[in-house]
Amino acid sequence: MRELKSKLCDYAKKIALSESMVDESHFYDFRQNIFGGKMKPEFIKMFMDGDGNELVSKACAVHSSSMLGYNFFHWISEEQPFTYEGIQYTKVLFEVKIRVLKRPANMDIVLTNDNGDILFIESKFLEYLDSKSFSISDTYKKEVKAYYCSGEKWSIFIKNYNAQKKGQYWDGIKQEICHLIGLTNWANGMTIDGLSSYNDAKDYKFINLVFEPHKNYKEEHESFENYHKLYLDLHTNLKKEKLIPEKIKMEFKAYSDLWTDIQNCISSELKDYLHAHYMQFAQLIPDFYDLK
């Protein structure tokens, strides 16, 4: 087992009795993996509608990216907004369905407000430690009519995309392509439940929000950097082919990049929880935890 996953497993054992874990990295109940041990019914419904067994399987892992995203953003509301890059977000949605071809993809987190500003977030924890060859259905390459719009451009792009490097996290790149196809559909008139139309919204961002391990975890940090490079290469090629919807700002961000903004908005109890559960293992700019 890699060093960081081992550390996370050690942490999990400290916060749960050994008999209350399925194995060294999975809790019996997802509620052991979230702040306060309770989830609002509306959020439970979002997760269960989004990807079936999320809360009874993947969410139980101490390294779950969906629970990482939930723990960081579940508190956002009208009474407790989150300010990011000068915009106040007052509503959070999880596992938002976005139509890609015939089936939807799930966007991990969406933040919005009454002005129609929207921040789409794809959350990643340690998935980039996995390495498989680039794999996407032939439907994306050959069946132009399966697309809602821009099918010819997307099929040519996917068919010709250079995905030959070995030992890389290509599944993240495949997901990014699927999400961009979905957002292209939305930009061309397809609706997304619970969100403004593309023409009505004011500011759009789509960020790949990825956990950056501390540099002391050399193997894990190298995998993070490799995925970052893959993403930047994808972004360059998407821009070149003009496949990013005009209004959408697309970025790669580390959770560490948002940590200062998050800390300014949350309670000290949640701040301590997020640090213990995640950020003690992250590459951080100096903050008050470093001064203890």
Side-chain angles (χ1 to χ4, degrees):
M1 183 183 292
R2 289 181 172 94
E3 184 181 0
L4 179 49
K5 278 196 174 180
S6 178
K7 293 274 189 181
L8 285 166
C9 291
D10 290 343
Y11 168 75
K13 291 171 189 173
K14 289 180 182 178
I15 63 173
L17 297 174
S18 60
E19 62 264 28
S20 66
M21 296 184 70
V22 175
D23 56 35
E24 59 187 357
S25 64
H26 288 75
F27 301 103
Y28 265 112
D29 192 314
F30 78 90
R31 286 169 292 193
Q32 297 169 278
N33 205 18
I34 62 174
F35 177 70
K38 292 182 180 179
M39 183 181 286
K40 292 180 180 179
E42 60 263 36
F43 291 155
I44 292 177
K45 186 176 188 305
M46 290 176 194
F47 280 107
M48 296 307 290
D49 288 349
D51 194 14
N53 294 323
E54 182 72 31
L55 294 183
V56 295
S57 56
K58 297 177 184 177
C60 296
V62 69
H63 53 272
S64 164
S65 60
S66 62
M67 294 302 97
L68 168 64
Y70 169 82
N71 283 321
F72 260 80
F73 297 106
H74 71 280
W75 49 271
I76 294 171
S77 66
E78 292 277 355
E79 296 74 28
Q80 195 176 6
F82 171 50
T83 301
Y84 176 64
E85 294 188 346
I87 295 174
Q88 270 198 350
Y89 297 96
T90 56
K91 185 177 181 181
V92 57
L93 305 171
F94 297 102
E95 298 294 318
V96 175
K97 284 185 171 71
I98 300 176
R99 163 83 180 273
V100 181
L101 299 187
K102 293 181 179 179
R103 299 182 63 182
N106 294 320
M107 185 71 70
D108 289 332
I109 305 146
V110 178
L111 308 184
T112 186
N113 57 31
D114 290 340
N115 294 326
D117 303 309
I118 303 175
L119 176 57
F120 297 97
I121 301 173
E122 177 65 15
S123 174
K124 292 283 183 286
F125 200 166
L126 299 178
E127 287 92 338
Y128 47 76
L129 297 178
D130 295 333
S131 57
K132 298 177 183 176
S133 59
F134 184 78
S135 178
I136 193 166
S137 169
D138 282 345
T139 303
Y140 287 86
K141 303 173 186 177
K142 298 177 180 179
E143 296 185 28
V144 174
K145 291 182 179 179
Y147 286 82
Y148 177 74
C149 63
S150 307
E152 187 170 350
K153 288 184 70 175
W154 274 112
S155 62
I156 292 171
F157 177 83
I158 293 168
K159 194 183 301 181
N160 296 332
Y161 188 66
N162 182 11
Q164 302 304 313
K165 293 179 183 178
K166 295 183 179 180
Q168 303 290 316
Y169 177 52
W170 285 111
D171 198 48
I173 298 302
K174 182 252 186 182
Q175 289 177 2
E176 199 77 358
I177 288 172
C178 291
H179 282 126
L180 255 298
I181 292 171
L183 292 179
T184 300
N185 293 343
W186 176 58
N188 283 274
M190 186 172 281
T191 59
I192 300 177
D193 288 348
L195 298 182
S196 304
S197 72
Y198 180 77
N199 291 325
D200 290 340
K202 305 297 186 297
D203 182 272
Y204 306 120
K205 296 182 183 73
F206 173 33
I207 62 175
N208 201 309
L209 188 59
V210 186
F211 182 82
E212 179 180 4
H214 194 280
K215 290 181 179 178
N216 288 346
Y217 305 110
K218 292 181 181 179
E219 184 181 357
E220 291 89 336
H221 198 270
E222 182 179 351
S223 294
F224 166 85
E225 290 184 325
N226 287 339
Y227 179 51
H228 188 191
K229 290 173 185 175
L230 280 187
Y231 175 91
L232 292 177
D233 178 68
L234 173 69
H235 186 257
T236 297
N237 284 283
L238 287 168
K239 283 188 71 175
K240 182 179 177 182
E241 299 299 326
K242 298 182 179 179
L243 281 168
I244 301 174
E246 184 179 351
K247 293 182 184 178
I248 294 178
K249 302 162 191 170
M250 189 174 161
E251 297 177 305
F252 184 101
K253 289 278 187 180
Y255 270 91
S256 305
D257 296 331
L258 272 63
W259 185 222
T260 298
D261 292 323
I262 292 285
Q263 289 182 86
N264 289 336
C265 300
I266 60 177
S267 67
S268 59
E269 291 81 8
L270 179 54
K271 193 181 302 184
D272 289 342
Y273 176 88
L274 293 174
H275 182 263
H277 216 69
Y278 305 110
M279 303 312 290
Q280 66 165 313
F281 307 109
Q283 182 64 30
L284 287 174
I285 58 173
D287 64 13
F288 75 92
Y289 287 103
D290 298 316
L291 303 177
K292 285 186 177 180

